[in-house]
Amino acid sequence: METINDKKLKSLQATALRVREHIIGMSSGGGCFIGASLSCVELMVYLYAEYLRKPATDDPDRDYLFLSKGHDVPALYGTFVEMGLLDEERLDNHLSVSDSIYWHPNRNIPGVEFHSGSLGHLPAVAAGVAMDCRMKRGDNRIVVITGDGELNEGSVWETILVANAKKLDNLVIIVDRNQFQANVRTEELIPLEPLADKFEAFGCNVSRIDGHDFIQLDTTFRNLPEGRGKVNVIIADTVRGKGLPSIEARADRWFCAFSDIEVNQLLEELQGYEQAFIESETLVVR
């Protein structure tokens, strides 16, 4: 891995901007989980552009990415487009019965390693793959992205206990720490902090970074400890709705179905123009 220089940094930032444009485009015609998708863009772009080896192939020596917070799939597919793994025109089929592009990942899309949607399941799947690779003496790296609200699932912590018991230091768990679970702040629902202390108590090696900073991402992944027998956990502090001030860090803007007019306004807002005027109804769950 080469260190990120100024030219590469600008390229990654430009890619992230285009991925956000794709996500915004998928928020019309039925909507998508735009808030959490926007929060993990830099994570997705960095992983596919800089970290994962032979991603989205059938090569047994490839690295694996599991998107446990499957509702962030617009960020995944937007990144696939920018990496040349998916035709951009297919994003127009979002929520169409003519294609497999909808609210959660589908293995009919090349590059998707596993279906996800029911939260808390994929850390265990990723741990199983990590164990399989270790038994085959492979040097595959297995990465799973979880949501912070997803950490309320006991299956996540059970997986970490087993993975550390098996010394699966080829497993990396990234927490998209955007501070929200659906339309409630995590610390108002079931508090997670001190989160790093919890992971360390379960035996993990823990790093905490700004999840929107490519330099911090690069430094952290470049220096992940190897051979210590511990699961690596990266807590990535992020902002829900990142890039769109009109919906950033808003509890009510987690799932959005915008009109075409609103989409155009949001695309302009993303470029730094006037803030969008949003009238679409919000989705609330309790």
Side-chain angles (χ1 to χ4, degrees), residues 224-245:
L224 285 178
E226 298 179 355
R228 295 187 183 179
K230 293 184 175 183
V231 173
N232 284 296
V233 173
I234 299 172
I235 302 171
D237 288 307
T238 62
V239 178
R240 177 191 273 190
K242 178 68 173 178
L244 299 177

Side-chain angles (χ1 to χ4, degrees), residues 23 31-38 71-72 74 103-104 254-256 283:
I23 294 170
C32 70
F33 294 89
I34 187 172
S37 295
L38 290 171
H71 53 284
D72 288 7
W103 287 330
H104 292 91
W254 62 298
F255 178 93
C256 297
L283 178 64

Side-chain angles (χ1 to χ4, degrees), residues 173-231:
I173 298 174
I174 305 173
V175 180
D176 183 0
R177 184 71 170 111
N178 64 26
Q179 302 284 333
F180 285 95
Q181 179 176 339
N183 58 281
V184 182
R185 286 189 174 273
T186 58
E187 301 312 283
E188 295 174 2
L189 186 63
I190 301 177
L192 292 170
E193 299 296 345
L195 187 55
D197 292 349
K198 288 182 171 68
F199 281 115
E200 289 174 354
F202 272 65
C204 301
N205 177 71
V206 185
S207 302
R208 190 157 195 166
I209 62 171
D210 179 346
H212 300 301
D213 188 318
F214 282 115
I215 299 300
Q216 289 190 35
L217 283 166
D218 188 57
T219 300
T220 300
F221 276 93
R222 188 180 302 279
N223 293 293
L224 285 178
E226 298 179 355
R228 295 187 183 179
K230 293 184 175 183
V231 173

Side-chain angles (χ1 to χ4, degrees), residues 155-165 173 199 202-204 231 233:
S155 55
V156 175
W157 301 97
E158 292 169 12
T159 294
I160 292 171
L161 287 174
V162 173
N164 277 318
I173 298 174
F199 281 115
F202 272 65
C204 301
V231 173
V233 173

Side-chain angles (χ1 to χ4, degrees), residues 10 14 19 24 42 52 59 66 72 81 106-107 112-113 132 151 175 201 204 213 221 233 235-236 257 260 262 275:
K10 290 179 180 178
V19 171
I24 293 169
E42 282 77 15
L52 298 172
D59 194 314
F66 293 96
D72 288 7
V81 169
N106 189 314
R107 288 202 66 211
V112 174
E113 296 285 1
D132 178 68
L151 300 181
V175 180
C204 301
D213 188 318
F221 276 93
V233 173
I235 302 171
D260 291 340
E262 290 170 333
Q275 187 167 316

Side-chain angles (χ1 to χ4, degrees), residues 82-106:
E82 294 304 316
M83 296 297 119
L85 302 172
L86 182 70
D87 292 334
E88 182 176 356
E89 293 75 17
R90 291 189 68 180
L91 297 184
D92 294 333
N93 298 334
H94 182 230
L95 302 181
S96 169
V97 296
S98 66
D99 209 328
S100 300
I101 297 177
Y102 49 88
W103 287 330
H104 292 91
N106 189 314

Side-chain angles (χ1 to χ4, degrees), residues 54 69 72 110 144 147 152 206 220 245 272:
K54 304 177 183 177
K69 50 179 313 196
D72 288 7
V144 57
N152 291 337
V206 185
T220 300

Side-chain angles (χ1 to χ4, degrees), residues 122-154:
L122 258 61
V125 173
V129 172
M131 183 178 295
D132 178 68
C133 292
R134 179 58 51 79
M135 293 175 67
K136 294 177 179 177
R137 302 187 183 280
D139 67 346
N140 315 67
R141 297 176 296 200
I142 292 81
V143 179
V144 57
I145 299 177
T146 73
D148 46 5
E150 183 175 2
L151 300 181
N152 291 337
E153 294 285 354

